[in-house]
Amino acid sequence: MVGWMLLATLQAAEEPQPVPPVPSERQLAWHRWETYAFVHFGINTFTGREWGDGKEDPRLFQPTDFDPDQWMAAFRAAGLRTVILTAKHHDGFCLWPSRRTTHSVAGSPWRGGKGDVVREVAEACRRAGLRFGIYLSPWDRHEPTYGRGKAYNDFYISQLTELLTQYGPIAEVWFDGACGEGPNGKRQEYDWRRIRATVRRLQPQAVMFSDAGPDVRWIGNESGVADETNWCLLEPSRMRIGQPNPGQTQGHPDGSQWVPGECDVSIRPGWFHHPEEDAKVKTPDELVELYFRSVGRGASLLLNVPPDRRGRLADPDVASLMEFGRRIRSMFREDVLRGSRATASGVWRGRDRFGPDKATDGDEGTYWAADEAARSGWLEADLGRERTIDCVEIREPIRLGQRVARFRVSVASGAAWRTVAEGTTVGPRRLLRFDPVSASRVRLEVLEARGCPLIQDLRAYRVGQRE
Ligand code: FUL
């Protein structure tokens, strides 16, 4: 009896082996953010430039109605629940009173030289229940030690330490690879080992972004778009920060580390607010497109919304954000496959716990697992009646590794089957849109996988919008 119970307990605890690499806990938490805000604000906001030269007078920084609570209200409405602020851009001007330089808000008349934008934004985030992250540009055109090796690394690390110790929890640290020094410019070797170790020591839950991770990688463009093939896997030894990196966009299917992609893009042509671009704010339609091409391809969408010279988000940006949030919520309101009966090519060790219905139960903690030895398989959901759909969503349980390398989705109306989508990778979330079809059954075929196929969710929607 006891032996039988022990066996039953062991069996219940058993599950398919992970296919490495797998995400860390901090990456798993990050994967749930999906869309979040970037905020470019600084001396450029007041000079009208995109890249300052570091010679700007700090007195130019004078927001007239600084109101980060207004930003947070718009971000929340848009579903952006993390905010990454440019604490220092390439011009070296610091939005907090850094002890290491006078080139900061302390030299501006704003709040009588006692202001601290980083603190006010961090506090506004906390009030609104949003996470807070920082961008600290490695390239610094003001700081005299820039280009002098260790001296600048010491300077940079002490600025980083100020930011990581004075403003509460930091969710993401964004390391920009840009440097426009040119062939005769200053050359700085960054001490990435020390920089990264500082973040891990002071804010172990923070994810670090750069061209090459270690936690999140740049997707390789600034237009907010991931490739249809997108591996969360990367071989860091093949990556160079600040250099072109082939493979950055699609990831490396043979990579030894989990380093998922982040798509950064601005809601405007520039990263900083320029009044003349007020009529060029991306429309809700354009933002929805970006959502499908980033989040819908297993990456995240980091959307920049820059405050104006008042220190508020401008009206057109707020209007676009609100409508974007409303559309995304309404598109995914009803999963027509939820609770539907499902069948599959096989089930891992025949266990009900991994049955096909686990992909349609709406529970993110359960998944369908194909036969242990299988590297392909199919899963079919029966809606019980005809429904019009134009979008299918697939998710893999990524804590066990990214597996699917090629798949096909077909739908049946009556007895006739037709293919509505084909693709390569799935990963944490894949959204596939097609012209509206009537369907009574939806079938996913996994044609190639790096291990036995596991599908956490198969969902279908009528989203009603297409590029
Ligand atoms: C780039 C920078 O040069 C831009 O100014 C902006 O900050 C963008 C997010 O990253 O590398």
Side-chain angles (χ1 to χ4, degrees):
M1 181 64 176
V2 172
W4 183 85
M5 277 171 61
L6 186 65
L7 183 65
T9 316
L10 284 175
Q11 284 196 348
E14 269 185 326
E15 69 169 348
Q17 287 294 308
V19 175
V22 295
S24 63
E25 286 302 320
R26 68 171 80 79
Q27 289 171 319
L28 281 173
W30 171 89
H31 274 289
R32 305 183 79 88
W33 304 355
E34 295 194 336
T35 53
Y36 41 106
F38 214 176
V39 176
H40 277 65
F41 186 54
I43 208 78
N44 294 337
T45 313
F46 299 87
T47 58
R49 300 174 76 173
E50 277 291 307
W51 278 7
D53 60 14
K55 298 189 178 80
E56 296 83 1
D57 186 336
R59 283 175 298 188
L60 293 172
F61 185 84
Q62 275 206 64
T64 51
D65 187 14
F66 182 69
D67 186 4
D69 290 322
Q70 184 248 6
W71 320 351
M72 302 309 155
F75 295 156
R76 279 185 67 103
L80 313 176
R81 304 192 71 103
T82 303
V83 178
I84 301 179
L85 173 71
T86 53
K88 177 183 88 169
H89 203 251
H90 308 326
D91 50 65
F93 179 80
C94 298
L95 291 182
W96 83 103
S98 170
R99 286 187 292 274
R100 296 298 306 256
T101 179
T102 53
H103 198 56
S104 78
V105 280
S108 109
W110 179 68
R111 306 260 196 267
K114 300 265 179 287
D116 184 339
V117 173
V118 176
R119 181 167 312 283
E120 291 198 35
V121 174
E123 285 173 359
C125 280
R126 232 147 277 146
R127 276 195 294 279
L130 306 188
R131 288 168 291 257
F132 178 59
I134 50 161
Y135 166 115
L136 181 69
S137 172
W139 184 31
D140 189 324
R141 303 179 83 180
H142 178 85
E143 170 54 28
T145 59
Y146 186 83
R148 297 205 201 130
K150 183 170 181 308
Y152 180 73
N153 282 312
D154 288 347
F155 170 87
Y156 185 81
I157 287 169
S158 58
Q159 287 200 323
L160 189 59
T161 303
E162 291 178 359
L163 292 170
L164 297 174
T165 54
Q166 296 172 23
Y167 301 100
I170 300 294
E172 177 163 336
V173 182
W174 216 90
F175 294 118
D176 195 327
C179 177
E181 286 288 327
N184 301 319
K186 297 178 183 174
R187 270 184 53 81
Q188 172 69 37
E189 291 288 336
Y190 302 110
D191 191 344
W192 288 115
R193 270 169 73 107
R194 232 175 106 207
I195 294 169
R196 290 176 179 181
T198 304
V199 178
R200 283 286 190 263
R201 182 166 51 84
L202 298 173
Q203 296 272 350
Q205 79 297 331
V207 292
M208 286 182 253
F209 163 98
S210 83
D211 285 345
D215 302 310
V216 179
R217 73 173 196 270
W218 188 42
I219 208 70
N221 64 68
E222 290 182 335
S223 43
V225 175
D227 200 272
E228 295 207 38
T229 297
N230 179 20
W231 292 99
C232 295
L233 281 45
L234 198 72
E235 185 44 57
S237 58
R238 285 180 223 148
M239 306 290 291
R240 304 269 300 277
I241 296 177
Q243 315 261 330
N245 284 293
Q248 181 162 49
T249 301
Q250 297 194 343
H252 300 131
D254 60 345
S256 64
Q257 305 288 318
W258 187 273
V259 191
E262 177 185 89
C263 304
D264 61 324
V265 64
S266 185
I267 197 166
R268 291 163 166 262
W271 291 97
F272 286 86
H273 180 274
H274 309 295
E276 64 275 19
E277 292 179 354
D278 277 356
K280 296 188 179 148
V281 173
K282 290 193 173 58
T283 62
D285 276 353
E286 290 173 304
L287 297 180
V288 167
E289 274 308 307
L290 291 177
Y291 180 90
F292 277 98
R293 292 175 185 201
S294 54
V295 174
R297 294 175 179 176
S300 68
L301 177 60
L302 174 59
L303 179 63
N304 179 65
V305 193
D308 61 16
R309 289 182 194 174
R310 294 171 305 170
R312 295 173 64 90
L313 303 184
D315 292 347
D317 309 59
V318 173
S320 248
L321 285 177
M322 309 266 288
E323 179 60 12
F324 165 67
R326 198 193 62 73
R327 287 201 200 168
I328 296 295
R329 282 191 301 277
S330 89
M331 284 180 159
F332 299 105
R333 195 159 282 152
E334 193 198 359
D335 163 20
V336 303
L337 293 188
R338 180 95 172 238
S340 62
R341 213 173 53 80
T343 47
S345 50
V347 173
W348 194 83
R349 297 191 187 170
R351 303 271 162 79
D352 289 349
R353 220 182 119 206
F354 303 109
D357 53 319
K358 302 302 178 212
T360 54
D361 62 1
D363 181 345
E364 297 191 358
T366 63
Y367 56 90
W368 163 62
D371 286 324
E372 200 164 6
R375 296 294 175 267
S376 61
W378 57 264
L379 170 70
E380 191 180 309
D382 188 341
L383 283 82
R385 62 189 170 116
E386 296 275 332
R387 293 291 297 263
T388 301
I389 59 170
D390 57 9
C391 177
V392 162
E393 172 176 351
I394 317 170
R395 296 177 187 240
E396 291 185 74
I398 52 171
R399 66 186 177 82
L400 296 173
Q402 186 177 357
R403 298 166 181 239
V404 179
R406 201 159 64 84
F407 68 87
R408 180 187 303 140
V409 178
S410 320
V411 302
S413 177
W417 282 94
R418 92 179 220 224
T419 298
V420 289
E422 281 175 296
T424 50
T425 52
V426 171
R429 193 165 178 209
R430 188 81 171 87
L431 295 169
L432 303 145
R433 284 173 301 169
F434 39 86
D435 290 333
V437 284
S438 179
S440 55
R441 284 176 290 166
V442 174
R443 174 187 284 204
L444 166 67
E445 289 166 88
V446 176
L447 303 168
E448 277 170 45
R450 293 172 63 242
C452 93
L454 310 179
I455 299 297
Q456 178 181 298
D457 299 293
L458 179 65
R459 303 177 183 178
Y461 303 91
R462 174 94 204 243
V463 296
Q465 182 166 8
R466 230 193 142 190
E467 62 216 76

